[in-house]
Amino acid sequence: MLRRKPGANPEIRRTLVGTVVAVAAIALTTLLVYPLREAAPAVSLGVVYLLGVLLVASIWGVWLGVLTALTSAAAFNYFHIPSTGRFTITDAENWVALAVFFVAAVFAAELAQRA
């Protein structure tokens, strides 16, 4: 009978690596959006988060891609949509932007997984 070492499950390791990549992508994208706000309104820059969602979904699957999309939407809301520093949205247009971003991210994750 073969015994596996603790922590040697390749699926768990793969998911852990995907999670680390997702968190790093969200953090880097959040930092990248700050200087980009000089060139475009913050609300329109949510699309930049899609790059991380596509990367994660295409390599680690749709479920981690959807979780990345959800976390990206939360980071975008907290750091870039007025009123910043809170999980509240004051303008209706910002609700629309956040909803469109999340729906697009989920569809992108699904398409990336299928590709």
Side-chain angles (χ1 to χ4, degrees):
M1 179 192 249
L2 294 174
R3 289 185 173 214
R4 286 190 169 180
K5 294 180 183 177
N9 186 339
E11 186 61 31
I12 292 173
R13 192 173 329 141
R14 177 174 155 73
T15 303
L16 182 60
V17 170
T19 302
V20 169
V21 169
V23 169
I26 293 166
L28 289 173
T29 303
T30 299
L31 293 173
L32 178 65
V33 170
Y34 281 110
L36 291 175
R37 292 191 312 187
E38 299 295 323
V43 173
S44 65
L45 293 172
V47 70
V48 178
Y49 283 95
L50 287 177
L51 297 173
V53 173
L54 288 172
L55 171 72
V56 171
S58 64
I59 297 173
W60 288 280
V62 70
W63 288 111
L64 192 54
V66 169
L67 287 173
T68 304
L70 183 62
T71 308
S72 294
F76 183 51
N77 178 7
Y78 188 83
F79 291 106
H80 299 295
I81 292 180
S83 60
T84 57
R86 290 187 267 172
F87 288 108
T88 58
I89 299 175
T90 55
D91 295 332
E93 69 183 28
N94 293 337
W95 274 109
V96 171
L98 192 61
V100 167
F101 163 75
F102 183 70
V103 170
V106 169
F107 279 123
E110 179 63 32
L111 289 174
Q113 173 63 34
R114 290 176 187 232

